[in-house]
Each structure stands twice: as structure tokens, then as C-alpha cells.
Amino acid sequence: MQYQEVEGAREYVARLEHGRDWRGQIEEFAAEEGIDAAFFMGLGAVSDATLLFYDQDDKEYDSISFDEHFEMTPAIGNISLLDGNQFAHTHAVLSREDGSTVAGHLDTATTFAGELYVREFDTTLEREHDEPTDLDLWPL
Amino acid sequence: MQYQEVEGAREYVARLEHGRDWRGQIEEFAAEEGIDAAFFMGLGAVSDATLLFYDQDDKEYDSISFDEHFEMTPAIGNISLLDGNQFAHTHAVLSREDGSTVAGHLDTATTFAGELYVREFDTTLEREHDEPTDLDLWPL
Amino acid sequence: MQYQEVEGAREYVARLEHGRDWRGQIEEFAAEEGIDAAFFMGLGAVSDATLLFYDQDDKEYDSISFDEHFEMTPAIGNISLLDGNQFAHTHAVLSREDGSTVAGHLDTATTFAGELYVREFDTTLEREHDEPTDLDLWPL
């Protein structure tokens, strides 16, 4: 495992805005605040969602969309730079009224309500292309 | 997104008590310690669970109960004040022996075992009624 | 609830190594760094997984294996000592291309990619046998 000891920097609690994209507003916040390295955890509810699944053979993301209301239980992710811009790598577990779940790499979801904790680190994490996985990963 | 930079305060590791309610004992701990703002993550197992799902149209919580044994994989939540008392907003993913899952906003669950990390912030978060969602949210 | 206030110590961001066991490399890292108390959260993808479910009646772990590709959405866990060695107690929610999920106590999983945040505490957590649950828990 490659790892880097980091110093904790700023910490935030946030309330996601009703009616706006879950991930998009995290990225907007991160750009406004100049956050180049962070992890976050959150919970809430969304009114639709598009999840991505990385095909490990074809090295491509497949997309699946759900036009349903879900609890966000939870969202876990991180913020780092991708092509110079703040990218919020976000995984989400979504649940329905009967408790049944779908989960995946969160692309888009319209926020109904959301609460977030963001832990920034005093470093810059910038994603670079990784040959074996064809993903953009941190060169730690 | 509305957000507030916060200062980290106390941190705790905890062991949830066998046979007692998962969320209730987090709230009791928070009241004992006077924790008015925190996020937490945890894992463990429970012997039953009642989950809530917020109906985004009717603006009411629907409840569903499961009289089963589950792994708690994981529980993510936060602590803030609601009507002056510590409230632990908790989302949980629960799994069965075959790996199948249910998830949602955790109301009650009898703890079999549980381990928690709590990160307090040096502020007070107090929930207030929010018109568009009819939920109690933080006025950040 | 039993709890202990802890002082935050080192923090790490990590990139899990492609092709190696998810939990094993966290434990190897923890042993290398001498981490005796920590919580972590992570996300990524794996190419197979074995999950455990603790049978609360028989007091034994049942195992179920999946020879599939999954997103890791997310992994939440902690590091403490078990029989003197670093043990990474890890719960995972895994998702498929159609969004469907399985979850549980993670035994093994071959990492495709993974990203981790580790928060160490300035204490030693050592697991001891607990009579009522027949599990190894922290004597906080």
C-alpha cells in the first residue's frame, strides 16, 4: 500500500442545498475554498441518482440511472485535483422505503437534504493516469 | 451549499453496550459529555432494527421494522441539538448472512456489539425547521 | 456505552495496491507504522470478496464468497491489536453493475483500486475476549 502521512487542516460541516446536484455542489464548495485534499462523509436524501460502475475488464464506466426517491445512507468520498480542478470522488449507498438498496460510484443525484463533514489535509492530491487500472489515481 | 468551518474538539472511541438501543446510547453519551456538534462512524451488529424513510412528497417518515440479526455495515451519523436535546442523526446499512442488505435512517436497533469513532466540533449545531423539506436542518 | 476520550495522532491518506488483499495491506501498513488505534474510511473497487456474518446464536462467523467485480461503497473500519498484532476490523458494502449490493464484515477481497483515510489515536486499543458476545472487543 502506498501512503502519505498528512497534517490535518481545515474542517467543515455543511448542509447541501435542496434541489441541486449532490456531487456538483461539493466540488463547487471545494473550488471556492481551495481544497486540494480532503475526505468527507455525509448522509441525507436524494430524489434521483445516476451511479457508475467501473468495468474492470473493459476499463470503462457503465452508467445506471434511478428516477426514485432515496435515503443517502451514506456518502463517503474524497476531494482531490483532476486535470487541475476539484473532483469529489463519491461512493453512495441509496435506500428505498422498503429498505432495499442500490449503491455505486455517484455521478449525479438531486439533493433533497444532505449533511456533510469534510476533513481537509495540508497537502495537494492530484490524480494521474494509472496504467494497470486505466483510472486516475494518486501518485503517493 | 451552506457550510461552516469548524474547529475540531474532543475525539472519542466507544464500545456500544450489548442489548441496548444503538442510537439511544449514542444520544445518552452525547448528553453526558455535552456534545452539541459531532460526526461519527461506526460498525458492529444488531439483533433487530427499525428504519425510517422520509416520504419526500408527503413529508412524513415511513417506518419499517426487521426482526432479524444484522451486521451494521456501517453506521454514519452526526450529533446536534433538536429541541434542546442531543439528537443522533444516524444512517445505517444492515446486512444478512447471505450478504443481502437493507438500509435507511436508523430509528432503533438492539445492539449486539458496536464500535464508534466520534469527532466533536467546537461549535453548537441546533436544528431548525426548514420549510421546503419540512425537516429540521442546520441553519449554517 | 463505554467510551474513552482520545487524542488525535497521525493521519494518512493511502492508495491500496492493485491485485493485493484489501484488508491485508491495511494491516501490513498498520504494523509498519506501529498504529495501535485508528479508524478509517475508504472507497474503491475489488475483483472478488469473502464476507463474514457473525451468527449471534451460534457465536460463530459464517463465510460467503463472491467471485465478482464490485465497487467498494464504502469500507469503514478500525485498527487495533488482536493477540498482539494489528487487526483491521473492516465492514464493506459492495455493489454491482446494476447497483445491487452485498455487505458484511470483510474478510478478504482482491483490490482493483482503493483510497483510504486513516485517523490514528494516541492510545493503544487491544481486543479482549467478551463473554456475552464471544467476540474480541475493547475493554474501554
Side-chain angles (χ1 to χ4, degrees), chain A residues 3-78:
Chain A
Y3 54 88
Q4 179 185 323
E5 189 180 340
V6 291
E7 292 291 318
R10 294 172 291 179
E11 297 180 78
Y12 298 88
V13 290
R15 167 181 163 175
L16 281 82
E17 198 173 331
H18 179 73
R20 296 194 55 214
D21 182 52
W22 183 284
R23 193 168 62 81
Q25 60 185 299
I26 295 175
E27 293 179 349
E28 188 180 277
F29 146 79
E32 274 172 16
E33 293 289 301
I35 297 173
D36 297 340
F39 263 79
F40 60 84
M41 56 176 159
L43 61 164
V46 298
S47 58
D48 54 58
T50 297
L51 300 176
L52 303 179
F53 179 86
Y54 194 67
D55 187 313
Q56 299 177 19
D57 296 319
D58 294 347
K59 310 278 198 290
E60 287 180 345
Y61 279 107
D62 297 315
S63 172
I64 185 166
S65 293
F66 299 90
D67 188 15
E68 299 177 64
H69 295 178
F70 290 113
E71 299 286 315
M72 176 73 85
T73 56
I76 299 287
N78 55 54

Side-chain angles (χ1 to χ4, degrees), chain C residues 1-68:
Chain C
M1 189 164 89
Q2 296 167 261
Y3 54 89
Q4 180 184 325
E5 189 180 339
V6 290
E7 292 291 317
R10 293 172 291 180
E11 298 181 77
Y12 299 87
V13 291
R15 168 180 162 174
L16 281 83
E17 198 173 332
H18 179 74
R20 297 194 54 215
D21 183 52
W22 184 284
R23 193 167 63 82
Q25 60 185 300
I26 295 175
E27 293 179 346
E28 188 181 279
F29 147 79
E32 274 172 16
E33 293 290 301
I35 296 173
D36 298 339
F39 262 79
F40 61 84
M41 55 177 161
L43 61 166
V46 298
S47 58
D48 54 57
T50 297
L51 300 176
L52 303 179
F53 179 87
Y54 193 68
D55 187 312
Q56 300 177 18
D57 296 319
D58 294 347
K59 309 278 197 293
E60 287 181 345
Y61 279 107
D62 297 315
S63 171
I64 184 166
S65 293
F66 299 91
D67 188 15
E68 300 176 64

Side-chain angles (χ1 to χ4, degrees), chain B residues 55-75:
Chain B
D55 187 312
Q56 299 177 18
D57 295 320
D58 295 346
K59 309 278 197 291
E60 289 181 343
Y61 279 107
D62 297 315
S63 170
I64 185 166
S65 293
F66 298 90
D67 188 16
E68 300 177 63
H69 295 178
F70 291 113
E71 298 286 315
M72 176 73 84
T73 57

Side-chain angles (χ1 to χ4, degrees), chain C residues 69-85:
Chain C
H69 295 178
F70 291 113
E71 298 286 315
M72 177 73 85
T73 56
I76 300 287
N78 56 54
I79 298 164
S80 60
L81 297 179
L82 177 64
D83 301 327
N85 297 312

Side-chain angles (χ1 to χ4, degrees), chain B residues 80-131:
Chain B
S80 60
L81 297 179
L82 177 63
D83 301 327
N85 297 312
Q86 272 81 6
F87 170 67
H89 184 199
T90 308
H91 281 200
V93 183
L94 304 167
S95 66
R96 301 186 181 95
E97 186 172 356
D98 64 358
S100 65
T101 61
V102 292
H105 176 118
L106 184 71
D107 186 12
T108 61
T110 304
T111 305
F112 184 78
E115 296 169 352
L116 208 67
Y117 165 52
V118 181
R119 172 63 165 173
E120 188 198 31
F121 311 114
D122 194 11
T123 188
T124 295
L125 294 172
E126 182 135 27
R127 293 180 180 277
E128 295 183 5
H129 182 258
D130 173 65
E131 194 63 46

